[in-house]
Structures are given as C-alpha cells and as structure tokens.
Amino acid sequence: MYIDTLVARTIPDTRGRPTVEATLASGAHSVTASVPSGKSTGSHEAFELRDADGSVATAIANVNGESASALVGRDFTSADEIDKLLIELDGTTNKSRLGANAILSVSIAAQRFFALAKGVPLWKAIAERANDGKGFLESVPSAATPAPAFRHVRAERNALEKSLPVASAPRLFLNFMNGGVHADFKLPFQEYILVIEGKTSDAMMIAREAFAKLGERLGSVPMGDEGGYAPTFDTLEQPFELLAELVKEFPHTSIAIDAAASELFHDDAYQLLGKSYSADELSALYRELVERFPIHSIEDPFAEDAPDDFAKLTAELGKRILIIGDDLTVTNPARIKDAAVRKEINAVLIKPNQIGTVREAIQAVQATCAAGWQTIASHRSGETADTFIADFAYGIGAYGIKAGGLGQKERVEKYNRLLAIEQEVKTM
Ligand code: 2PG
Ligand code: MG
C-alpha cells in the first residue's frame, strides 16, 4: 500500500475531553481511526501525550509531522511493517516521545487499511495477524528474565502454538452500574457487570431487557462515565443483591466486577464506604462475596503494585472465578509474561491504547494465550465512535469484551458492530 496522505485532528471523547483521530489515504480509499482515553489508568501504561492545558495538540502535530513524513510517499506490505516503523520512530520504551495516543491512531488506521485492501472484514484481518505470531513471542523480553534460556522460549512457543486464538464471538461483560472514579465513588467498586453468554444476538436481547429492568428498579438515577447506572447504596452488598436478582431471572448470566483497587488504595489500606481494609481483609471480603453471589470474575482486586496479593487470591479463588489483570498487566507483553511466571492472575484485560500499537496488543494476547489464560478485550472510559475494539475482540477470539453500558451511544455502537460481525461471519 502506497500512502498518499496521513492527517490527524482533535475530536472530543465521551467525557468531552480532546482525543486524536487520524485519516490515512491511498488512491481512492481512505480510512479513519480514533483513540479512547482512560481515567483509572495504570501507572505502567504507555504514555498518553497531553499538553499542560489538557489538549492533544502536540500528539496531533506528531502525527501530521514526524509520522506523516516517515509514512507518506512510501509503500508498505503489511500493517505490522507500519507498526514496527512507528515503534522505531518513537524510540522510547513507553511511547513517551510521540505519544501512545498519536501512534495508536495511525496503527489502527493502518490495520483498517490493510483489511480494506485485502477485501476482508477487519476482524478477519486481525484474526490472521493474531494467528501469524509464531515469531512474536521470542522478541518479547521479560522484565524478570531479560534473556530467557532457549528451552524456556521453546516451551513458550509450543504453548502458544497449541493455544493460538481462533476468531469467535466474545461473551458480553456489559456494564450495569458505575462506581469508583467513573461515578464520583457513589459505589465503591468501579464497575458492576452482567456477564452474558451465548451468541451476540441472543446476548443482546437479554442485555436490553435486563438493563431496562434494573433501570425500573433503580428509578431516576444518573448515568456514569461508561453508560451504566450510577446509584448510591448504603452497603457493599446491595449492588450485588440487585445483580443477583437479574442472574436469577435471566439464564446464562453471572456477575463480574472491576474493583479498580489502585483507586481505592490510600494511606496503606483499601478504603471502601468509609472503612479501611488491609489486603487480607479485602481478600476475605472477596471470598465472602464469591460464596454469597454468582460471581464470574474480579478485575484488579488489588493495587497495581501488589502482585503478591493477586497471586494469593488467584491461588485461593482461581479455580472458581477469573482474576483479571488490568492496571497490573497494562496490555504489556513483558508484564504479562512475568505475571504468568508468578501465577498472579488467570485472565488479562487487553486495551490497545495501554500499549500503543495493534502489533503489541496482539503480542499481549499471545503472551496471555501462552500462559493458558483468558483474554477480555476492553474499551476505555473515555470513548469515541470508533468500533475497532469489537472487531479486535472477535478477531482475537477473546473470552469476553468490556464495552460499557447501554446508556451511552458510543458504547452501544460497539455491540451493534458485534451484531453485524455475527452476520458477516455467516456469509464467509
Ligand atoms: C478499566 C477501564 C475501562 P478506564 O479500568 O477497566 O472500563 O476504565 O478506561 O478509566 O481505565
Ligand atoms: Mg479495569
């Protein structure tokens, strides 16, 4: 593909904050991609470039300047080639020079372009890329073991080859209630989710009915950042009781939470509804909740720099539920490999903007698969109309997708894209 033009602009995200959108053109075709932005961000994430005034003007200038100079007027044979060039051009370990937001806008546009050029749906192009990763894993260093022994690499490659992702519909991890930093801590945990199994069209029917039902029960309450309800309760258990009622009414459903515990950690303890919990006390609380309610998974149960507490909880509960790493692993293949060695979790949240290129997000998926763990593809709390994450989730055969609640158009668009993919698959 010969690139004729690359141009970026500022658009507002769902919180009204500026973010990056880029358009790549070749001949008569052009594609556009925009990047989301998190609020409960992990400190080990790739660097989102913002100016002192909160704008993304420098990130935009980096796309229109350096990235465009490197790409425009050149021919590329794959999206991966473009990603490698962008990584090299930035030259830092965390994308802090050009900005992960600037880089990812081009990386997603490139992925979209090569799907278009090949005449295949985006999810299929991603699936092909995810399954062509045999050489990837060796190139991912591990922070704990910087120069892995040859046998170690061989074992990892064998594990990966046996578990390469197969494109398939993800379970919906659909947000019903928002708390934490997404709703001014009206609820202590950040996300209260209904996990809905089955094919997307059936799951969405359940989602619509169950979401409306909860709305009736809650009455008039505000919406949180991710398009779920943001009610207030006096006890920790109440939101679980409400979701458990829905689980009883709707088959093939269960409860998930994102505790986003880094945001709860102050003064050496976890603060929930005015009470302080040590890591052990919080573990005991999780165990009690798992006994009482139909819980499927807990994301980020502890702060991002408490891997030992993750490992302890996974040893205790990992056979019954998923313990998902988000701020802990930040879609970073090297961090995922280290977490695997220490058995810290058994599932990984995959957010492309935490790492900055589609190439590395796919490496993160492969590192997760090699560990024998599940992947959950995820949006961010500041979203755009771009539905890339739906194609990505399907293409990598993710176990689940987190795309928010039905109370915000940009979240619904992702589910609508999954519905369209369900039909596309039938025609292929
Ligand atoms: C999370 C995400 C998305 P944010 O913590 O999993 O739900 O939130 O984008 O604010 O980091
Ligand atoms: Mg999270």
Side-chain angles (χ1 to χ4, degrees), residues 112-169:
R112 203 163 254 150
F113 208 98
F114 276 94
L116 189 72
K118 270 186 159 176
V120 298
L122 182 55
W123 62 265
K124 191 152 198 326
I126 293 167
E128 283 166 10
R129 206 170 163 186
N131 275 281
D132 184 23
K134 292 175 191 137
F136 275 7
L137 218 52
E138 289 89 330
S139 66
V140 179
S142 148
T145 48
F150 180 69
R151 271 180 51 202
H152 177 61
V153 169
R154 264 269 289 276
E156 230 164 31
R157 189 172 52 210
N158 291 343
L160 173 65
E161 278 174 13
K162 271 192 233 133
S163 62
L164 274 172
V166 178
S168 60

Side-chain angles (χ1 to χ4, degrees), residues 60-72:
I60 300 285
N62 288 346
V63 178
N64 292 337
E66 270 195 65
S67 305
S69 304
L71 298 176
V72 172

Side-chain angles (χ1 to χ4, degrees), residues 123-414:
W123 62 265
K124 191 152 198 326
I126 293 167
E128 283 166 10
R129 206 170 163 186
N131 275 281
D132 184 23
K134 292 175 191 137
F136 275 7
L137 218 52
E138 289 89 330
S139 66
V140 179
S142 148
T145 48
F150 180 69
R151 271 180 51 202
H152 177 61
V153 169
R154 264 269 289 276
E156 230 164 31
R157 189 172 52 210
N158 291 343
L160 173 65
E161 278 174 13
K162 271 192 233 133
S163 62
L164 274 172
V166 178
S168 60
R171 284 164 189 75
L172 306 184
F173 278 57
L174 204 136
N175 189 316
F176 273 57
M177 286 178 275
N178 290 192
V181 294
H182 295 166
D184 297 328
F185 284 97
K186 288 196 178 79
L187 300 175
F189 297 132
Q190 181 177 283
E191 295 159 35
Y192 297 81
I193 291 166
L194 201 66
V195 181
I196 313 173
E197 319 266 340
K199 67 184 229 232
T200 311
S201 49
D202 294 340
M204 280 309 292
M205 254 157 51
I206 294 176
R208 283 194 299 273
E209 251 189 79
F211 197 80
K213 207 154 245 183
L214 181 65
E216 280 163 28
R217 282 175 198 163
L218 292 172
S220 154
V221 293
M223 284 284 168
D225 280 6
E226 296 197 331
Y229 304 104
T232 317
F233 297 115
D234 305 326
T235 70
L236 266 166
E237 289 81 9
Q238 272 165 300
F240 289 94
E241 283 161 5
L242 275 171
L243 286 183
E245 277 175 31
L246 293 175
V247 170
K248 261 198 202 138
E249 281 169 62
F250 295 93
H252 314 299
T253 62
S254 50
I255 299 171
I257 57 163
D258 180 0
S262 297
E263 305 290 339
L264 302 171
F265 196 67
H266 305 288
D267 305 325
D268 268 342
Y270 296 92
Q271 315 293 339
L272 286 94
L273 291 183
K275 212 181 134 193
S276 276
Y277 293 74
S278 68
D280 283 344
E281 286 164 344
L282 191 56
S283 281
L285 172 69
Y286 291 137
R287 282 199 303 274
E288 196 190 311
L289 289 170
V290 168
E291 286 306 325
R292 281 187 57 193
F293 300 105
I295 291 180
H296 190 111
S297 62
I298 303 178
E299 178 183 331
D300 278 350
F302 301 101
E304 60 188 3
D305 291 321
D308 294 345
D309 297 325
F310 275 82
K312 242 166 103 183
L313 191 69
T314 301
E316 284 167 6
L317 291 179
K319 291 224 157 48
R320 292 175 69 174
I321 66 166
L322 293 183
I323 306 290
I324 305 171
D326 172 16
D327 290 358
L328 178 80
T329 35
V330 291
T331 316
N332 184 317
R335 287 182 73 88
I336 295 167
K337 285 177 103 178
D338 293 342
V341 171
R342 297 194 286 252
K343 297 188 170 57
E344 290 164 11
I345 44 181
N346 58 14
V348 178
L349 210 70
I350 306 284
K351 294 166 164 168
N353 87 322
Q354 281 182 323
I355 189 72
T357 61
V358 176
R359 172 183 164 79
E360 292 157 290
I362 287 175
Q363 285 181 327
V365 170
Q366 292 170 335
T368 307
C369 290
W373 292 347
Q374 307 292 358
T375 52
I376 290 97
S378 171
H379 70 158
R380 298 306 303 248
S381 55
E383 263 299 333
T384 72
D386 196 314
T387 56
F388 177 80
I389 199 66
D391 283 85
F392 184 81
Y394 197 98
I396 64 162
Y399 178 89
I401 183 172
K402 271 205 333 183
L406 299 183
Q408 206 173 60
K409 188 170 159 283
E410 289 79 357
R411 318 285 166 187
V412 175
E413 294 293 348
K414 274 70 166 171

Side-chain angles (χ1 to χ4, degrees), residues 47-64:
F47 189 80
E48 181 184 75
L49 185 55
R50 279 195 190 271
D51 300 322
D53 60 359
S55 79
V56 288
T58 307
I60 300 285
N62 288 346
V63 178
N64 292 337

